[in-house]
Amino acid sequence: MKEKYINILMNSNFESKKTSKELMKKLSDRGYNPTTTFSENAELTICIGGDGTFIRSIHKSNFSQIPMVGINTGHLGFYQEISSDKIDEFIDDYSNGNYTIEELKLIGAEVFTKNRSHILTGLNEIALKAKNSKIIHMNIYINRNHLEKFSGDGVLVATPSGSTAYNFSLRGALVHHSLEVMQLTPIAPINSAAYRSLSSSIVIPGNYIISLIPEKRYINSSLLLVDGEEFFFSGLKKINLKLSNKSIKKLIFSQDSYWNNLKSKFL
Ligand code: NAD
């Protein structure tokens, strides 16, 4: 008999623990094998919590190709398709195959320091800022074409699914996740007699390379943000960003969920 493993990942909130207990019992009753120890042999990963839990689960599972679905016990729950009072409907729909799988593109960065390079991957965005809330000056190239010398708090490169997150707060555009593009969005760009920086976002084909080259004095004082987590590299020389070849798989139960989500969570 097939093992039918289902990974259950959650945050430590009371509501998430309660939901997980109920979910695990119901899944076992339906012949599934729920496990809180991540198994690479699982057919599905269910993530209980808010968007932060979903994002951290994606990173912790090293961008696993096992389809994921989220049960929302957090606030906004943009990634969390299922509400915690609809567990029975969810198990019915899943068991009956009433779902489709959508692929969410990831953003990849190659970070060059004095002596080596590092790879970073994000689901929402990767941003470059100055440390200690200072202004950063950097040159930005698109496929080696010089775009601008940017001055301001920093810049962010968002995936389509990250366009509703930090990017949206910065007045970036909402981009449907079926589009293979990335969005370069300025964070508090300075426009004065001294500095000229683009003040709007630019949408760029996903296979183009965006290069961010901080001025020399920032090589030891800039900060990378990947999905809200800070990374510091000493001797940071250049960052090349493009949409990653990797994606993650997310279950959706309604073809209209994207538009319903936008309307109910942002308007
Ligand atoms: P967090 O707990 O501070 O959550 C930030 C908010 O972003 C939450 O309301 C969450 O629901 C929402 N969010 C996350 N991904 C989203 C998405 N794709 N679409 C719509 N909303 C989304 O931090 P966290 O939970 O660890 O999440 C990290 C994310 O927070 C980062 O990837 C970044 O996009 C976002 N963030 C936003 C701002 C801002 O809007 N000013 C600032 C920093 C970070």
Side-chain angles (χ1 to χ4, degrees):
M1 202 186 111
K2 218 174 139 218
E3 296 287 1
K4 293 174 81 171
Y5 283 118
I6 293 190
N7 293 320
I8 312 283
L9 306 177
M10 69 189 125
N11 61 17
S12 55
N13 293 357
F14 174 75
E15 180 65 21
S16 301
K17 285 182 182 159
K18 192 172 138 232
T19 304
S20 124
K21 222 172 162 185
E22 184 189 340
L23 175 71
M24 288 178 81
K25 164 133 192 10
K26 289 184 172 174
L27 285 171
S28 301
D29 291 348
R30 300 283 287 261
Y32 294 100
N33 208 341
T35 167
T36 50
T37 319
F38 191 86
S39 163
E40 269 304 333
N41 298 321
E43 60 181 52
L44 177 69
T45 297
I46 303 175
C47 173
I48 307 169
D51 287 319
T53 317
F54 188 88
I55 296 166
R56 280 183 281 283
S57 303
I58 298 280
H59 281 269
K60 268 194 204 150
S61 66
N62 200 18
F63 307 99
S64 157
Q65 289 306 294
I66 301 169
M68 296 207 38
V69 69
I71 297 181
N72 191 28
T73 56
H75 292 114
L76 186 69
F78 197 77
Y79 285 115
Q80 308 292 81
E81 174 99 1
I82 315 294
S83 107
S84 55
D85 57 353
K86 297 247 162 31
I87 289 180
D88 291 309
E89 291 94 320
F90 155 62
I91 299 177
D92 284 345
D93 282 341
Y94 180 68
S95 306
N96 296 327
N98 293 337
Y99 61 85
T100 51
I101 292 180
E102 72 183 10
E103 303 236 341
L104 300 182
K105 281 281 175 194
L106 303 167
I107 180 95
E110 190 168 9
V111 181
F112 298 92
T113 59
K114 242 177 178 168
N115 304 317
R116 50 178 298 204
S117 71
H118 311 257
I119 301 289
L120 296 173
T121 308
L123 174 65
N124 275 345
E125 77 282 298
I126 296 182
L128 177 65
K129 287 176 147 184
K131 259 171 72 177
N132 305 324
S133 306
K134 300 276 188 204
I135 289 170
I136 188 168
H137 301 279
M138 69 178 102
N139 279 297
I140 303 182
Y141 295 79
I142 313 285
N143 280 356
R144 297 188 185 186
N145 298 292
H146 187 250
L147 176 73
E148 64 173 332
K149 184 169 169 185
F150 174 90
S151 301
D153 279 12
V155 294
L156 170 156
V157 181
T159 60
S161 52
S163 67
T164 41
Y166 196 178
N167 170 72
F168 186 55
S169 307
L170 297 167
R171 298 176 164 262
L174 301 182
V175 174
H176 194 268
H177 46 66
S178 60
L179 298 171
E180 299 215 346
V181 294
M182 45 190 176
Q183 188 170 174
L184 175 70
T185 296
I187 310 173
I190 302 177
N191 278 295
S192 64
Y195 306 116
R196 309 282 323 148
S197 309
L198 259 183
S199 52
S200 76
S201 296
I202 315 179
V203 176
I204 297 164
N207 59 352
Y208 282 26
I209 294 174
I210 301 175
S211 302
L212 308 178
I213 304 183
E215 278 191 347
K216 246 190 180 153
R217 62 190 144 135
Y218 298 98
I219 67 167
N220 288 318
S221 61
S222 41
L223 209 58
L224 274 163
L225 284 179
V226 181
D227 293 342
E229 199 187 327
E230 291 183 354
F231 289 81
F232 170 73
F233 294 94
S234 69
L236 179 74
K237 290 179 96 173
K238 177 167 89 167
I239 301 147
N240 282 347
L241 295 121
K242 69 180 186 69
L243 275 195
S244 168
N245 297 328
K246 287 189 266 180
S247 52
I248 59 135
K249 297 183 166 65
K250 184 170 144 336
L251 297 197
I252 51 165
F253 292 90
S254 154
Q255 291 311 315
D256 300 322
S257 64
Y258 179 78
W259 303 109
N260 291 339
N261 224 359
L262 272 194
K263 194 164 166 65
S264 64
K265 294 188 171 156
F266 290 102
L267 290 166

